[in-house]
Amino acid sequence: MWNMLRQASGGDISQKNLALIEGLLDILIEHRPWLEKQTMLFRAVVYTYVRLLEDHRSPLLVNLRNKEIKFIISLIRENFIDVLPLGRDFVRFVYLKNHFFFVSFIRNFIYRFQATAKCCHDSRI
Amino acid sequence: MIPEFEQLWNDILVNPSSLLSTFTGVWELLQTRTSRRYLICRLTPDVERKLHFFATNVRFGAHKRYQDWFQDKYFTTPESHSLRSDLIRFIINAIHPSNDMLSSDLIPRWAIIGWLITSCTNPTALANAKLALFYDWLFFDPLKDNIMNIEPGILVMCNSIRNHPLVSSTLLDFLCRIMKNFYPQYESKIRRGVYNSLRKILEKQVRPWLSGILDKFFISSFVLRSFKIWLHFSNRQNWTEN
């Protein structure tokens, strides 16, 4: 299962990869009591699907996305003690899902910086 | 926004005991370094093998063709850029070269990360990649954390000054702003983390001094001034505490 999970690639929304992600999700949902006893695999599943959610923003993927959200949120809330060792990179994914302003703030300062750089360049000329 | 994750984030911040009676809050999670086992699990074995080969077998100077191969295979679609932050977290946490490798002519980690950042064309993925690069700086504890996790950040900034000054300055700009904006309630703790990172970098002589680097930056005077003032302030605060 661990090796199959690794094949569910991030940054890839091809039909083949999505079929693997959804197929694995269905197996995990069906065997949830077993999954909750495999601590390391459980953490890898939470980490993987919290990460993969980032790629599934398209309206075409709404069914898969909703299924992922429902399963993962329930896993996290009911087994939070097992989620704790996932640490700061788990927080990074949850943080990014709640801070779209973070992206706009970064964009703003990139534009502002480019404008400043252009001004300095022009003044040198 | 995903309402379920918004609610989860809110509980982690405001009501941590609702998740687990012994859970004290988000800082507890942020102080725990994620095991490399889980970072590796976000790369397919194929990507891991290629990246590992790239970092441990390719000479600096002869790396262009490997980058092009990698680019052509894994970064062809717009959504594939999100893989960059996974790769950066993997390189920072899981590829720790030996002293022999560091003194050899192999491509250094900072050059691979610099390439991953500069070749990114998606602004969201770019911001995430920069956060991935500096993420360990924000919570750096000299007693628990490893210098190898913060070394690529300073080296990308320093070694890009000559040929890519904009890369260096935007990264420093990013670092200054993320300290303040990542989570305002923990601003002082995050500043302490970045300050501890810089002290460790000086102590371990990754860079023997920082002032020259700051002076060379082609950066808006506001950011440079605020960074210098902040460094000065942190220094004074440190003396007072000691």
Side-chain angles (χ1 to χ4, degrees):
Chain A
M1 188 49 117
W2 185 283
N3 290 335
M4 292 287 282
L5 206 60
R6 284 194 68 186
Q7 295 292 344
S9 175
D12 178 359
I13 53 169
S14 64
Q15 280 305 317
K16 196 174 150 193
N17 195 43
L18 289 175
L20 174 64
I21 291 169
E22 189 157 15
L24 281 173
L25 187 64
D26 289 337
I27 294 171
L28 293 166
I29 291 171
E30 199 179 327
H31 298 281
R32 180 172 169 160
W34 169 81
L35 173 66
E36 286 174 336
K37 286 181 198 145
Q38 321 292 320
T39 318
M40 277 195 341
L41 180 65
F42 168 84
R43 286 181 197 139
V45 166
V46 170
Y47 190 77
T48 296
Y49 279 91
V50 170
R51 158 67 184 89
L52 292 176
L53 261 173
E54 271 185 46
D55 297 332
H56 303 160
R57 288 186 182 160
S58 158
L60 298 172
L61 302 175
V62 69
N63 288 339
L64 171 62
R65 180 181 169 81
N66 287 341
K67 206 193 305 188
E68 286 172 333
I69 292 171
K70 192 177 165 199
F71 181 58
I72 291 304
I73 285 286
S74 143
L75 277 187
I76 294 171
R77 284 192 172 277
E78 289 171 32
N79 304 274
F80 199 73
I81 193 163
D82 290 326
V83 174
L84 282 178
L86 282 176
R88 62 178 68 144
D89 279 277
F90 167 73
V91 176
R92 188 165 59 91
F93 291 135
V94 179
Y95 174 87
L96 290 174
K97 283 178 186 37
N98 289 284
H99 291 78
F100 288 123
F101 76 87
F102 167 76
V103 174
S104 61
F105 139 77
I106 298 298
R107 244 183 233 169
N108 282 342
F109 99 73
I110 289 173
Y111 290 149
R112 203 149 25 80
F113 177 77
Q114 283 171 342
T116 316
K118 190 174 180 307
C119 281
C120 295
H121 179 69
D122 291 348
S123 66
R124 279 183 185 182
I125 291 170
Chain B
M1 297 284 258
I2 305 169
E4 291 88 343
F5 272 93
E6 205 178 346
Q7 184 58 46
L8 175 69
W9 182 241
N10 200 43
D11 285 345
I12 290 174
L13 295 180
V14 183
N15 194 10
S17 57
S18 69
L19 294 164
L20 182 69
S21 57
T22 53
F23 179 49
T24 54
V26 70
W27 197 252
E28 185 182 335
L29 273 168
L30 290 172
Q31 282 181 306
T32 310
R33 203 152 44 82
T34 303
S35 162
R36 61 181 67 176
R37 182 186 296 128
Y38 304 114
L39 298 172
I40 292 171
C41 115
R42 277 304 72 233
L43 304 185
T44 61
D46 189 41
V47 172
E48 184 197 349
R49 198 170 54 247
K50 288 196 170 77
L51 200 60
H52 202 267
F53 175 83
F54 192 32
T56 55
N57 287 280
V58 174
R59 249 182 346 102
F60 197 23
H63 57 279
K64 179 78 170 61
R65 72 163 91 164
Y66 297 94
Q67 286 179 351
D68 292 343
W69 287 338
F70 204 93
Q71 178 91 24
D72 291 346
K73 189 157 170 66
Y74 298 108
F75 297 131
T76 47
T77 59
E79 60 277 359
S80 62
H81 290 288
S82 71
L83 186 62
R84 290 174 194 270
S85 33
D86 294 329
L87 296 174
I88 292 174
R89 295 301 294 156
F90 169 76
I91 293 168
I92 289 176
N93 283 280
I95 299 183
H96 286 180
S98 63
N99 285 337
D100 287 346
M101 287 165 76
L102 287 173
S103 57
S104 69
D105 59 355
L106 293 174
I107 186 165
R109 296 189 303 162
W110 65 263
I112 304 176
I113 292 174
W115 158 64
L116 287 171
I117 287 178
T118 51
S119 58
C120 182
T121 52
N122 177 320
T124 309
L126 180 62
N128 292 352
K130 286 177 186 173
L131 181 65
L133 175 59
F134 288 118
Y135 199 51
D136 289 313
W137 285 54
L138 309 183
F139 322 108
F140 188 75
D141 178 351
L143 298 176
K144 284 198 307 189
D145 290 322
N146 191 333
I147 180 80
M148 295 300 274
N149 296 346
I150 53 171
E151 178 239 44
I154 192 77
L155 291 183
V156 176
M157 282 199 286
C158 295
N159 293 318
S160 305
I161 292 174
R162 185 171 294 176
N163 295 328
H164 307 284
L166 271 174
V167 174
S168 305
S169 48
T170 47
L171 286 177
L172 181 62
D173 203 354
F174 180 90
L175 180 61
C176 294
R177 288 169 199 274
I178 199 69
M179 278 191 301
K180 197 173 170 56
N181 292 284
F182 182 78
Y183 188 54
Q185 199 180 323
Y186 288 117
E187 188 187 336
S188 61
K189 286 184 175 183
I190 289 172
R191 279 178 186 277
R192 174 51 49 132
V194 175
Y195 179 69
N196 285 338
S197 307
L198 290 169
R199 280 195 66 148
K200 193 75 170 179
I201 285 162
L202 292 173
E203 188 187 309
K204 293 280 180 184
Q205 301 250 317
V206 177
R207 291 295 303 192
W209 62 88
L210 290 170
S211 57
I213 298 160
L214 296 179
D215 294 340
K216 280 180 192 167
F217 271 137
F218 182 59
I219 196 168
S220 73
S221 58
F222 167 73
V223 175
L224 186 56
R225 200 165 57 241
S226 59
F227 192 66
K228 281 181 169 174
I229 289 170
W230 167 73
L231 273 179
H232 179 67
F233 176 71
S234 303
N235 235 340
R236 281 184 56 191
Q237 204 177 32
N238 195 44
W239 289 335
T240 323
E241 281 174 14
N242 289 337

